[in-house]
Amino acid sequence: MTNDKMSNKELYLNFPNADLITFAIYSISRNNETCTFERLVAECFTKFPKAFSFKRYPQWPDSLKFDRSLRTLRQKGLLIGGAGGSYSPGEFQLTDFGTGKAKAIEKTLLSGSNLNLKRKTDERPRSMDEKTLKYLKENILYKKYQNDPSNFIITESEFRSLLRCTLETPERIIKQNLIYYKNVAKSYCEVQILNFLELCEKKLLIK
């Protein structure tokens, strides 16, 4: 299967990582290659780059995205091998059940019939920056801003709370936290969050 057929409109983003990994192992073994962990990471990143890249550095694969999915595949009886397995160290092989599953995934990837499914993900924020972004996106003030940016109003106490500060927090700490939030938004190209923070800064005359 070519990347063009699979990545048309990035249909693969509708599939959980475990399914994509299952298909990647099948694809590698079908080419008579040994599926080591490194080979698996390369295959997944080549075929499904947006599903297996770092959020902050999308040009690089994130190997930590494989751990939980590989454990799940073993527990479900789709996969054997890997470090400590009965095969060569680091070599992954699908069971007969796993191979059948991979063929079904391949068929669905080609047909695009999974397009309307909401992608299941096992991703959770790991770094402090990712946790900060999640916190901002879920904050009630940010949602209020998204609903009506032109009429958005924020008080000083609300802004301090957003920055995880109190009324007694020194101004220099407030500025430090604001700069950190803005830098995180810039690093992850979160333009809306950056605009939100800059609007808050402007309204409250934070210098």
Side-chain angles (χ1 to χ4, degrees):
M1 185 191 320
T2 66
N3 284 356
D4 289 340
K5 289 180 180 178
M6 284 188 300
S7 61
N8 181 32
K9 298 183 181 180
E10 294 168 347
L11 299 181
Y12 65 83
L13 291 177
N14 294 288
F15 294 78
N17 283 356
D19 282 1
L20 300 180
I21 289 172
T22 300
F23 170 75
I25 296 172
Y26 172 67
S27 179
I28 293 168
S29 61
R30 188 168 54 182
N31 290 330
N32 296 318
E33 297 180 66
T34 299
C35 184
T36 62
F37 181 73
E38 292 81 5
R39 181 68 184 85
L40 177 60
V41 171
E43 184 78 3
C44 287
F45 183 65
T46 300
K47 281 184 164 62
F48 316 113
K50 288 196 174 182
F52 292 97
S53 62
F54 284 104
K55 289 183 180 179
R56 195 168 189 174
Y57 305 105
Q59 71 273 28
W60 298 107
D62 182 358
S63 61
L64 292 179
K65 290 188 175 182
F66 293 79
D67 293 346
R68 183 177 302 175
S69 293
L70 288 171
R71 287 198 300 270
T72 299
L73 292 174
R74 286 194 188 93
Q75 291 169 358
K76 290 184 175 180
L78 279 74
L79 175 69
I80 53 178
S86 58
Y87 290 82
S88 301
E91 179 182 349
F92 297 101
Q93 293 194 19
L94 295 177
T95 62
D96 290 342
F97 177 47
T99 299
K101 174 74 172 178
K103 290 179 179 178
I105 293 168
E106 179 180 33
K107 183 177 179 180
T108 310
L109 280 168
L110 283 170
S111 68
S113 60
N114 231 18
L115 181 59
N116 293 323
L117 292 180
K118 185 176 180 181
R119 171 173 166 79
K120 297 179 181 179
T121 176
D122 57 7
E123 295 180 29
R124 292 181 297 178
R126 293 193 305 269
S127 70
M128 181 59 69
D129 290 351
E130 289 180 8
K131 290 178 181 178
T132 296
L133 277 179
K134 184 174 186 295
Y135 161 73
L136 288 171
K137 288 179 179 180
E138 295 177 351
N139 192 277
I140 189 171
L141 291 171
Y142 178 61
K143 292 180 179 179
K144 181 180 174 183
Y145 161 80
Q146 285 183 305
N147 288 334
D148 191 0
S150 60
N151 294 313
F152 176 70
I153 298 174
I154 186 172
T155 66
E156 181 182 356
S157 61
E158 287 175 331
F159 192 46
R160 283 174 174 260
S161 177
L162 175 71
L163 297 175
R164 291 173 169 150
C165 297
T166 67
L167 293 175
E168 290 74 34
T169 302
E171 189 172 347
R172 65 178 179 82
I173 302 298
I174 294 174
K175 292 178 180 178
Q176 286 176 4
N177 288 1
L178 175 59
I179 291 171
Y180 168 65
Y181 281 18
K182 289 169 66 176
N183 285 340
V184 169
K186 290 177 184 177
S187 295
Y188 285 84
C189 299
E190 294 284 355
V191 178
Q192 272 201 316
I193 291 179
L194 181 60
N195 291 341
F196 162 65
L197 293 170
E198 289 180 340
L199 179 62
C200 294
E201 181 180 14
K202 181 179 179 181
K203 283 182 176 291
L204 296 173
L205 302 176
I206 303 296
K207 298 180 179 179

